[in-house]
């Protein structure tokens, strides 16, 4: 089985970004860096943990049934501008 089939996060789409800063345990940062290396190997495009985090969070929230049932859809988010 190839690495690409094992990763939940597929190729990254191009999106508009907003900067957000957060702290995490060193062990999580190490895991994110390892995931980024596997992602780059699987899809042939170098990415770092900072690039992956928003996509991982978006996938997590999309898969959270309680969040979706509670009105947590993209349409419910306010437009920035």
């Amino acid at each position: 089985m190839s690495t690409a089939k094992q990763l939940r996060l597929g190729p990254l789409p191009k999106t508009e970004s907003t900067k957000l800063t957060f702290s995490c345990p060193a062990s999580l940062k190490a895991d994110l860096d390892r995931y980024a290396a596997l992602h780059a190997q699987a899809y042939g495009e170098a990415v770092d943990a900072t690039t992956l985090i928003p996509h991982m969070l978006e996938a997590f929230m999309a898969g959270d049934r309680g969040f979706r049932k509670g009105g947590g859809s993209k349409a419910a988010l306010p437009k920035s501008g």
Side-chain angles (χ1 to χ4, degrees):
M1 182 182 275
S2 72
T3 304
K5 300 266 187 220
Q6 296 175 3
L7 299 178
R8 284 189 76 172
L9 195 61
L12 302 179
K14 304 295 181 207
T15 59
E16 183 179 333
S17 298
T18 300
K19 186 170 182 158
L20 177 68
T21 303
F22 78 102
S23 298
C24 68
S27 59
L28 176 57
K29 175 62 166 85
D31 285 344
L32 289 166
D33 289 339
R34 215 165 33 96
Y35 194 102
L38 288 171
H39 192 278
Q41 180 183 7
Y43 298 106
E45 185 176 346
V47 295
D48 59 11
T50 305
T51 303
L52 290 176
I53 291 168
H55 301 284
M56 293 172 142
L57 289 172
E58 186 174 50
F60 172 82
M61 292 172 70
D64 188 317
R65 291 181 185 160
F67 179 71
R68 288 195 326 254
K69 285 181 182 178
S73 68
K74 288 184 179 184
L77 295 176
K79 298 273 185 190
S80 62

